[in-house]
């Protein structure tokens, strides 16, 4: 497909939303057309399901049922937002995607083979070119979320943020294990440092992964090429 598909993964408060905004600005400064989207949600239909999932209303369905709702939302998001953008040649920056389901619903005890079936059905062949895992210790992420809830009116932690520290720690380990297993598409970014450092690492990962798109624009790649 003509476009580029980058997903952001990591726990609550890792800095995904913050860094997506930064990367958008960076890519636009290089003349790219950027679509920012998120999961669950990212299309009108999927945003309705987001509401059910994050409010906890769908919790009664159990982890397997919730996983189906995530898949339903993802299918609509892929069909109505992601795939059309990639066909246009845009850069799609997605806040969480299928890896979050593997980790969150996997941690909640849903069988991996069942999750794989749902994932295959939902993504319909649309896999990320690059996944940026922003890694922070669970304590840091949660303290940032607590701070964020105090400073805006998001009404406190959602269904998934409000879980016990040990759950957040297990998710972190699962994300890191996934990044190892599928190292070809992952870049693990240390999100515990200051915003500018994290943003610089992300730009480096992106310009490295899509080097041909940044040739002649003064990127890091250019310097070594100029020397030859
Ligand atoms: N590297 C960082 N250092 C300190 N604070 C950060 C950093 N990255 C994000 N934050 C702050 O932490 C909070 C959570 O960041 P956010 O981008 O919303 O995380 P996420 O989308 O991964 O949940 C926000 O208030 C944000 O301003
Ligand atoms: Mg966010």
């Amino acid at each position: 497909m003509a476009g580029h598909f980058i997903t952001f993964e990591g726990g609550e408060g890792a800095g995904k939303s913050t860094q997506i905004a930064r990367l958008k600005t960076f890519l636009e400064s290089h003349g790219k057309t950027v679509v920012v989207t998120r999961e669950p949600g990212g299309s009108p239909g999927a945003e309705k399901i987001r509401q059910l999932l994050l409010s906890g209303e769908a919790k009664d369905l159990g982890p397997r049922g919730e996983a189906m709702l995530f898949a339903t939302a993802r299918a609509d998001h892929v069909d109505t937002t992601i795939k059309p953008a990639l066909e246009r040649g845009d850069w799609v920056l997605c806040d969480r995607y299928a890896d979050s389901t593997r980790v969150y619903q996997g941690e909640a005890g849903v069988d991996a083979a069942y999750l794989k079936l749902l994932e295959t059905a939902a993504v319909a062949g649309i896999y990320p070119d690059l996944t940026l895992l922003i890694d922070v210790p669970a304590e840091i992420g949660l303290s940032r979320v607590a701070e964020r809830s105090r400073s805006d009116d998001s009404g406190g932690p959602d269904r998934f943020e409000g879980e016990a520290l040990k759950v957040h720690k297990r998710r972190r380990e699962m994300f890191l294990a996934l990044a190892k297993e599928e190292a070809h598409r992952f870049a693990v970014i240390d999100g515990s440092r200051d915003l500018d450092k994290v943003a610089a690492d992300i730009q480096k990962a992106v310009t490295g992964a899509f080097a041909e798109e940044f040739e002649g624009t003064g990127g890091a790649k250019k310097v070594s090429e100029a020397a030859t």
Side-chain angles (χ1 to χ4, degrees), residues 45-98:
E47 288 288 331
K48 290 181 193 161
I49 298 176
R50 177 188 179 92
Q51 203 32 49
L52 289 174
L53 284 164
L54 299 192
S55 66
E57 272 180 275
K59 199 174 173 181
D60 291 346
L61 297 173
R64 211 160 75 85
E66 281 185 312
M68 277 194 185
L69 281 182
F70 275 104
T72 305
R74 180 161 303 130
D76 188 59
H77 184 211
V78 166
D79 289 349
T80 61
T81 303
I82 298 174
K83 196 157 174 261
L86 294 175
E87 284 170 347
R88 289 195 300 269
D90 296 351
W91 289 69
V92 176
L93 309 183
C94 188
D95 194 334
R96 297 191 180 283
Y97 193 57

Side-chain angles (χ1 to χ4, degrees), residues 8-20 95-96 134 136 140-141 143-149 151-152 161 190-199:
F8 284 69
E9 297 284 0
E12 267 62 47
K16 299 179 296 300
S17 303
T18 307
Q19 293 298 334
I20 283 174
D95 194 334
R96 297 191 180 283
I134 307 184
V136 295
I140 293 183
S143 73
R144 287 182 188 165
V145 169
E147 188 55 43
R148 184 179 62 191
S149 308
S151 58
D152 63 24
E161 288 170 351
D190 177 359
S192 64
R193 292 158 320 135
D194 78 58
L195 287 172
D196 292 334
K197 291 213 173 85
V198 178

